[in-house]
Amino acid sequence: MCGIVGYIGKLNAKNILLDGLEKLEYRGYDSAGIALVADDQTVITTKTKGRIADLRQAVANDATGTCGIGHTRWATHGVPNEENAHPHQSQSGRFTIVHNGVIDNYRQLEEQYLNGVTLQSDTDTEIVVQLMDKFAEKGLSTEQIFRNVLDVLDGSFAFGLIDSERPGELFFAKNKSPLLIGVAAECNMLASDAMAVIKETDQFVEINDGEYGILTAERYQLFSGTTNEAIERAPFTASIDADDVEKGMYPHYMMKEIDEQPGVIRRIVQKYQDETGAFTIAEDLQAAVINADRLYIVACGTSYHAGLIGRKLIEEKAGIPVEVVVASEFGYDMPLLSEKPAFLFISQSGETADSRQVLVKVKALGHPAITLTNVPGSTLSREADYTLLLHAGPEIAVASTKAYTAQVAVLSILAETLGKAQDIVQVHDMAHELGIVANAMQTIIDEKEQIQQMVLDYVATTRNAFFLGRGVDYFVSLEAALKLKEISYIQAEGFSSGELKHGTIALIEDDTPVIALVTQPHTQLQIRSNCSEVQSRGAKVAIVVTEELAQTGDTFVIPNTALELTPLVSVVFTQLFAYYAALSRGCDVDKPRNLAKSVTVE
């Protein structure tokens, strides 16, 4: 889940690398570092524990070099400190490397090849760069050394590599971890994400698994790791507005992204409508789902919670059986599948390692695969048979907000489209209802001050909190609890309120905050009864309810929408609740501890 960036060209690489790493900080921020090839061809590295801001302070003002690599780290092997920060250098000082991924067999490689080598870190990555030194003893070219090292590695990697004996070149390789080439007039770049260097170029070249190559200021060369044959691949244009990745006047990306949600919903409607205003999805994609006897939704974290709502939408509006599975479990413990399954992978980044593991197995079995993602050209998008795009724009904050609501919105469009394709009468016009949703979202966003006061009233000093709901409200409760715990560090859990008496109610103490979501008429009385049960045992209960179900004494009222779309509205309240809880406790809203946004290692 680390981020890497590389530059080779005519300009000083220092600020390009530092600016790029800032854009990649969502991928990890335990430590950071850069390496620059100086005018005398020496390689100067600067590394720090902490954020890119700390690295900026550490890098010398007069540091220069027209070739360099940078890294921001999410620790997997070795604690977050300066010694374990990247870049890593070989014992001779000849090779310098940055790495995103995990080398599974690094201990075996150390034992087999590196006796007598004194390691400077506890990382798997240093083993790779020391192997470069070891294999160089045979007098091979840099390309041959690199290929030989790649051949003995097991695991995932995206590498940027400098050889001080070849200062005008930058080497790279990819397997499972994301990596792109950025192409500009007088430079070439490497990046884990196009956002890192979008200010320099919007032209990018995909690197597929098992490929490696060389960059110079004038050209890029790409080779097959299997045959070593040269690969010709033209750049594509990344449709990212550089302004989209800036905070502007907002104090945090998370608040900016919450506020963007009404506009995202409207954009999704426009993107999926044809000239008549009807929603359109590729007929072959629809056929793959309709012809299946079961649709398996595969996802992790927030995307999994969106998938739970998607299941209900697709089953009710299209009559297709759906099962939602956690990718990390499904990949290692695949159950007995139905006879004609189809798979829908939900991933904001399109790079989620656990989901990709399942995708590889599904493709090997010959089943159709669809990716729902925010990133065109991402790994899951490229490797699936079909892609549905979220059109949410870049999401920088680690805690997902607009990507989640975009996922639910696109799933609702897919559900209606699949239903109409089977001549199933639809109760609502989804385009119209999503327009109502966008307005309802804005209404809640405009009530920030009330929500901030609720935070002070309910969770200012608490160590835990509970969200209750039934049906879709339960699914939103799961997402609400995840959002609160990941950015405020309050121990929060979402529960089906009907399960309270099966053990959960034992956790209720005096003043325990309980937030109940009440948006469905057929379960409102049951949830209110559950609220009374916890209240009688000392809980401090807040009821978040739709206008049509509101009663005197309810805590927060949200606008009415189509019942199946209430999660898109109620979740905005929970996002703001989590935001202000984190803010009140002095937490880093955009970069919560121990987390990274894009989970690119298992």
Side-chain angles (χ1 to χ4, degrees), residues 87-325:
H88 290 289
Q89 287 188 304
S90 63
Q91 195 168 51
S92 70
R94 175 180 171 182
F95 300 102
T96 307
I97 201 168
V98 291
H99 169 216
N100 172 33
V102 174
I103 306 304
D104 297 326
N105 62 334
Y106 78 105
R107 289 297 188 198
Q108 296 93 314
L109 293 173
E110 179 186 359
E111 293 173 3
Q112 184 174 353
Y113 294 104
L114 300 180
N115 287 329
V117 175
T118 301
L119 299 176
Q120 304 300 313
S121 76
D122 300 316
T123 68
D124 53 336
T125 304
E126 189 187 352
I127 301 301
V128 178
V129 78
Q130 301 297 0
L131 283 177
M132 293 291 297
D133 242 11
K134 195 71 175 178
F135 288 8
E137 295 173 359
K138 300 177 183 179
L140 303 173
S141 68
T142 308
E143 292 91 335
Q144 291 172 315
I145 297 167
F146 199 22
R147 287 198 302 265
N148 287 350
V149 170
L150 296 175
D151 285 344
V152 300
L153 301 181
D154 291 332
S156 59
F157 53 78
F159 291 128
L161 174 74
I162 291 171
D163 179 357
S164 62
E165 296 184 6
R166 303 266 292 269
E169 295 170 302
L170 186 56
F171 298 82
F172 63 87
K174 176 191 182 301
N175 186 53
K176 297 182 181 179
S177 297
L179 191 63
L180 294 168
I181 300 169
V183 180
E186 294 188 327
C187 69
N188 284 296
M189 291 157 284
L190 293 173
S192 297
D193 188 318
M195 287 191 299
V197 292
I198 196 67
K199 284 187 176 180
E200 279 67 45
T201 184
D202 64 355
Q203 299 298 301
F204 293 89
V205 177
E206 294 177 5
I207 309 170
N208 293 329
D209 285 352
E211 296 177 347
Y212 69 98
I214 308 170
L215 301 184
T216 67
E218 296 81 19
R219 71 182 189 279
Y220 61 90
Q221 295 175 281
L222 199 56
F223 301 96
S224 165
T226 304
T227 65
N228 295 321
E229 294 179 354
I231 298 169
E232 297 292 332
R233 186 171 298 139
F236 67 90
T237 301
S239 55
I240 301 174
D241 187 334
D243 292 337
D244 286 343
V245 299
E246 302 295 339
K247 278 190 297 190
M249 299 299 292
Y250 284 93
H252 302 98
Y253 280 110
M254 184 177 178
M255 180 57 77
K256 174 177 181 284
E257 289 155 9
I258 290 172
D259 278 8
E260 288 174 343
Q261 288 176 114
V264 169
I265 298 299
R266 296 184 181 103
R267 185 189 311 146
I268 288 169
V269 170
Q270 292 172 351
K271 291 290 186 180
Y272 279 93
Q273 281 178 321
D274 61 18
E275 61 277 2
T276 69
F279 286 131
T280 177
I281 287 174
E283 291 185 3
D284 52 352
L285 186 158
Q286 292 186 58
V289 179
I290 292 170
N291 293 334
D293 59 4
R294 183 171 296 270
L295 177 66
Y296 291 85
I297 294 178
V298 183
C300 307
T302 286
S303 295
Y304 173 80
H305 298 156
L308 293 172
I309 298 168
R311 174 186 65 78
K312 187 169 181 64
L313 286 164
I314 293 170
E315 288 188 340
E316 288 188 353
K317 300 181 77 61
I320 297 170
V322 180
E323 187 171 337
V324 188
V325 297

Side-chain angles (χ1 to χ4, degrees), residues 25 28 65 81 93-94 105 139 142 144 148 170 180 227 238 320 325 358 382 391 397 444 474 499 530 551 558 571 576:
E25 206 168 20
N81 60 23
R94 175 180 171 182
N105 62 334
T142 308
Q144 291 172 315
N148 287 350
L170 186 56
L180 294 168
T227 65
I320 297 170
V325 297
V358 179
R382 292 198 310 271
H391 301 292
I444 294 175
Y474 166 51
E499 290 296 294
N530 298 140
Q551 298 180 10
I558 65 175
V571 79
L576 287 165

Side-chain angles (χ1 to χ4, degrees), residues 4 165 192 261 311 421 425 462 483 536 554 560:
I4 69 174
E165 296 184 6
S192 297
Q261 288 176 114
R311 174 186 65 78
V425 176
T462 187
K483 213 57 57 197
S536 67
D554 289 341
N560 293 327

